[in-house]
Amino acid sequence: MNDMPLVSVGIPTYNRPDGLRNCLDAIIKQTYRNLEIIVSDNATPNDRTENVVREFTQIDSRVKYFRQNENKGAIYNFQFVLDKSTGDYFMWAADDDYRAPTYVESLLGELLRCPDCSIAFCDFWAADAEGVKVESYPDFFPFLEKFTCIYKPLRLLRFFFQRETNGKANIIYGLIRRECLKDFTWGEFLRRYGRYGSDMLLVFSLLCNGRLALTKQSLYRSTTGNKKEYTESGANSVMNKVSEMLKSFFSEVRYSVGYLQIAPGLSGILLLLCWPIKFLDISFRFFRNGLRVFYSKVVGSF
């Protein structure tokens, strides 16, 4: 096993012991064995998360557990597991997603066959918290396949224009060449480009270094609708809704500009020329949603 590349798996977690148990169970059962598994508990206010991880550390020495003294936010946790990694390849694993036993083996094989690829991923499906497939989502593979293009400007342009709901954010949970994350820090990345869409901007930056290696095997399940990245909003008035929408609008605009800042050379010039189209799309969706709010809150009250 020592002759095979070491793959680091970083699992940032917070107060989701049942999901974490399923995640860890899937990771330790990977057919590819040369793994280091780093779990960072972001100060869960009870012992359930630690108890789950301790069960796995007793049966698998590859599992390493760290518990933060205070909750420093998800970004800190994502950075922590990256900093602790020592492998030639790295992947983040959400504590509520599922990976087939051959996930790491298949993706590593793709990267070993494609030295010009920076990240590997697979076909996947979206499911609810119970693991039931959500049929309203599209078939993701045709969208992902566009990023395997060997021509960088075309590959980046396709990623830039692809809708954010078509699966490009999930690529962040693929297998990454560790050298492509050299000197990367989430803090600096967010300072430059903002929090909104930062996962997609990171994937975009990886695609600047190499194309996507993709297998058609469906080896990954993404969990949706469990509010893992959301907070409940008490805003019900028209003004509060409009305020939220304005914040979202300007966040999206900043996010779209981030592509221009990251794209190198000719690709950057091409994206700059096409940026007004992206801006118009963001603006159209903003006004469309505004009309929906106006109709539901004002017209609907009569």
Side-chain angles (χ1 to χ4, degrees):
M1 185 173 68
N2 292 332
D3 293 332
M4 301 188 299
L6 178 63
V7 173
S8 300
V9 181
I11 308 176
T13 189
Y14 175 75
N15 202 24
R16 195 180 288 115
D18 294 334
L20 179 61
R21 183 189 302 278
N22 294 334
C23 173
L24 279 170
D25 187 60
I27 295 298
I28 68 168
K29 290 179 179 177
Q30 290 293 304
T31 54
Y32 189 83
R33 304 301 298 167
N34 197 18
L35 306 175
E36 65 171 1
I37 304 167
I38 306 158
V39 182
S40 177
D41 178 1
N42 210 359
T44 297
N46 56 63
D47 294 331
R48 291 184 63 202
T49 296
E50 181 172 357
N51 291 340
V52 167
V53 184
R54 294 302 182 194
E55 292 177 21
F56 285 90
T57 58
Q58 291 176 10
I59 62 175
D60 196 323
S61 61
R62 298 174 300 171
V63 179
K64 309 298 181 186
Y65 175 66
F66 300 88
R67 182 170 183 167
Q68 306 303 328
N69 294 326
E70 59 179 330
N71 191 320
K72 300 180 180 179
I75 295 303
Y76 176 88
N77 225 16
F78 270 70
Q79 185 66 44
F80 183 87
V81 294
L82 175 62
D83 290 342
K84 287 293 182 180
S85 67
T86 62
D88 297 320
Y89 299 87
F90 176 82
M91 62 180 247
W92 282 288
D95 62 5
D96 59 348
D97 292 341
Y98 168 78
R99 289 166 174 78
T102 57
Y103 182 84
V104 174
E105 180 181 357
S106 297
L107 269 55
L108 180 59
E110 294 293 333
L111 286 179
L112 293 176
R113 283 191 292 271
C114 305
D116 62 326
C117 293
S118 59
I119 183 170
F121 198 47
C122 61
D123 192 13
F124 73 100
W125 74 100
D128 61 23
E130 303 301 321
V132 178
K133 184 177 181 180
V134 180
E135 298 295 342
S136 59
Y137 282 92
D139 178 4
F140 293 114
F141 187 82
F143 296 104
L144 300 175
E145 198 171 21
K146 296 179 183 297
F147 312 139
T148 63
C149 178
I150 62 174
Y151 301 107
K152 183 191 295 186
L154 182 57
R155 176 172 76 240
L156 299 183
L157 189 64
R158 287 173 171 175
F159 193 91
F160 176 66
F161 275 121
Q162 187 180 114
R163 281 293 175 87
E164 284 66 30
T165 55
N166 288 341
K168 65 183 185 181
N170 296 82
I171 299 174
I172 197 173
Y173 291 115
L175 185 61
I176 307 169
R177 293 189 192 276
R178 189 62 174 80
E179 62 190 32
C180 294
L181 292 171
K182 182 181 180 182
D183 300 325
F184 171 81
T185 61
W186 275 109
E188 177 63 18
F189 198 76
L190 296 183
R191 187 190 67 78
R192 290 183 180 181
Y193 310 119
R195 181 179 293 269
Y196 181 92
S198 57
D199 48 1
M200 290 173 282
L201 290 177
L202 175 56
V203 173
F204 182 77
S205 70
L206 292 170
L207 294 178
C208 290
N209 293 324
R211 62 191 180 93
L212 173 69
L214 184 66
T215 174
K216 200 168 185 178
Q217 300 175 77
S218 189
L219 304 173
Y220 172 67
R221 183 185 71 212
S222 173
T223 305
T224 64
N226 60 356
K227 300 185 183 300
K228 64 182 177 182
E229 296 293 345
Y230 308 97
T231 56
E232 294 288 353
S233 173
N236 290 314
S237 70
V238 173
M239 290 305 299
N240 282 333
K241 288 290 185 182
V242 171
S243 177
E244 286 184 351
M245 288 170 55
L246 281 170
K247 290 179 182 178
S248 177
F249 172 76
F250 287 115
S251 294
E252 282 198 63
V253 171
R254 183 182 182 186
Y255 152 75
S256 69
V257 172
Y259 284 106
L260 310 183
Q261 296 174 273
I262 294 171
L266 177 62
S267 300
I269 295 174
L270 183 61
L271 263 64
L272 178 61
L273 294 174
C274 296
W275 183 81
I277 301 174
K278 186 77 169 178
F279 178 76
L280 287 174
D281 178 59
I282 295 171
S283 301
F284 172 77
R285 286 186 282 112
F286 169 74
F287 285 110
R288 181 188 61 189
N289 292 337
L291 288 174
R292 288 177 177 173
V293 170
F294 177 79
Y295 182 84
S296 64
K297 295 294 183 180
V298 179
V299 179
S301 64
F302 288 97

